[in-house]
Amino acid sequence: MEKIRLTGAQATMLATLYGKAVDAGSPRSILHDTMALDAIGKIDHDFSKVGMKPGDAATVALRSLHFDGWTREFLAAHPSCTVLHLGCGMDTRVFRIGPGSGVRWYDVDYPDVIDLRRKLYPAGRPGYEIVATSVTPPGWLDRVPADLPVLVVAEGLTMYLREEEGRELLRRIVEHFPGGQLVFDAFSRRGIRMQRMNKPVQVAGARLHWGVDGAAELTSVHPRLRCLDAVSAFDIGGYDQVGLRYRALVGVARMLPFMRRMAVMYRLAF
Ligand SMILES: C[S@@+](CC[C@H](N)C(=O)[O-])C[C@H]1O[C@@H](n2cnc3c(N)ncnc32)[C@H](O)[C@@H]1O
C-alpha cells in the first residue's frame, strides 16, 4: 500500500481519482476506468473523506468522457501530434485513449503527484513522457519539441492557477507550437467566489483563484486564439445516465444562467 502525504491542489486529484474508481465499480459505469479502481486499492488513504459523494462519481466520469471525446477527435485529425496533458493527476487518459505511434504524449503534474503515478501505473509506450513540474514556470515547455501540432488537455486545472499564471501559460503554449487546440474547463468568477461550497477543494485545503467569464477573456490572451466551443458542464451529454437526484439538480442548473456559466468546457484553436 502506498502512503501519501498530499495537501492543497495536489490532494484534489484524490477526489477525482475516487470518483472515477466509484464509477468504474458501478454496473452502469460511464468511463470504465478500471485502472482508477485498481489504484485506489493500492493507496493507503481514507477515500470516504475526500469530499466526493458516491453520487458525484458519475459527473466526474462524464466530464472526463467529454474530454476523451475531444482528444479522440483531435488525434483522428492529427495522427502525428503532441499532447500535453496538464494537471493530469492520476487520470489514465493516455491508457484509455491508446494514442497511435505518431503521438508524443506528456503527462504533467507536480512532483509528488507524479511520484505516485510512477509507482502505480505502467511506464507506457515509447513517445510517452511524464514530467514532474508545476506547469507555471517556463523551463519545462522549452524541452518539448515544437515541430508538431499540439493538443493541450487540462481537466480541473485552470481554477488552481492565478489569472496571470494561466494567461501566461496559454500565451507561452501558443507561441511555442505551430498550431493546435487547447481543451480545458474553467469556473466563472462567481464559481471561484463560491469555492467554500466545493467539498473536495475544502477538504484538500486548496485555494481556487482564476475565474473566467466567457471565451473572450481567453481569446484576448493571444491574437491567434479563437474559440471553437464553450459548453456548460451542465449541457454535456450523458446526464440521463446519472442518478435521479443529480438529474433533478442538473435540470434546475440548466434553467439558471449563472449556474450554466459556473463551469464551462472550452475548446480553443490557434
Ligand atoms: C482536481 S485535480 C484534477 C486531476 C485530473 N486532471 C483529473 O481530472 O482527474 C487537479 C490537478 O491539478 C494539478 N495542479 C494544480 N496546479 C498545478 C500546477 N501549477 N502545475 C501542475 N499541476 C497542477 C494538481 O496537482 C492535481 O493533480
Side-chain angles (χ1 to χ4, degrees):
M1 292 290 267
E2 292 299 332
K3 282 234 175 263
I4 45 167
R5 285 175 184 277
L6 298 174
T7 53
Q10 289 95 315
T12 60
M13 66 85 183
L14 295 170
T16 47
L17 176 68
Y18 182 57
K20 288 168 205 179
V22 170
D23 170 71
S26 146
R28 297 194 329 192
S29 175
I30 292 164
L31 195 64
H32 304 283
D33 192 346
T34 50
M35 287 178 74
L37 191 55
D38 289 347
I40 65 156
K42 294 177 189 153
I43 301 174
D44 184 9
H45 189 74
D46 183 355
F47 281 94
S48 69
K49 298 209 169 109
V50 293
M52 170 83 36
K53 292 191 288 298
D56 299 329
T59 62
V60 171
L62 279 179
R63 180 177 80 169
S64 287
L65 189 68
H66 188 82
F67 282 115
D68 282 3
W70 276 351
T71 304
R72 286 198 166 91
E73 278 180 34
F74 189 87
L75 297 193
H78 304 88
S80 293
C81 69
T82 296
V83 176
L84 299 180
H85 187 204
L86 306 184
C88 59
M90 290 292 284
D91 183 87
T92 64
R93 177 158 292 116
V94 68
F95 303 107
R96 293 197 299 273
I97 302 268
S101 58
V103 178
R104 289 186 201 126
W105 185 296
Y106 296 83
D107 271 344
V108 187
D109 208 305
Y110 283 116
D112 40 2
V113 173
I114 291 303
D115 195 37
L116 187 65
R117 241 196 121 82
R118 285 194 206 277
K119 285 181 182 149
L120 296 187
Y121 294 155
R125 52 137 181 95
Y128 173 59
E129 276 193 42
I130 305 183
V131 186
T133 178
S134 167
V135 297
T136 53
W140 69 272
L141 190 58
D142 296 337
R143 299 198 301 271
V144 177
D147 51 339
L148 296 176
V150 70
L151 174 70
V152 178
V153 188
E155 180 179 1
L157 170 72
T158 61
M159 49 295 276
Y160 296 96
L161 308 179
R162 292 182 186 277
E163 179 166 350
E164 324 76 75
E165 292 172 339
R167 291 177 68 87
E168 186 51 37
L169 177 64
L170 296 190
R171 190 175 307 118
R172 228 179 277 135
I173 290 169
V174 171
E175 288 182 352
H176 189 76
F177 291 98
Q181 289 183 10
L182 301 107
V183 299
F184 57 89
D185 50 345
F187 286 169
S188 65
R189 289 197 172 79
R190 191 170 188 155
I192 298 290
R193 281 199 300 275
M194 290 170 67
Q195 62 183 288
R196 247 180 259 141
M197 295 171 71
N198 190 323
K199 202 76 198 293
V201 169
Q202 293 309 308
V203 170
R207 282 295 303 273
L208 305 181
H209 303 284
W210 187 17
V212 177
D213 284 339
E217 290 190 4
L218 298 165
T219 51
S220 68
V221 166
H222 199 284
R224 286 171 67 203
L225 274 173
R226 62 189 197 282
C227 178
L228 301 180
D229 290 291
V231 188
S232 167
F234 297 111
D235 286 336
I236 60 173
Y239 280 108
D240 49 329
Q241 298 172 69
V242 308
L244 252 185
R245 187 176 147 262
Y246 255 90
R247 250 181 287 162
L249 275 175
V250 168
V252 173
R254 281 180 177 157
M255 286 189 290
L256 301 170
F258 81 91
M259 282 296 287
R260 292 181 83 174
R261 289 193 293 264
M262 195 101 84
V264 175
M265 296 177 175
Y266 292 99
R267 175 155 62 166
L268 308 183
F270 66 97

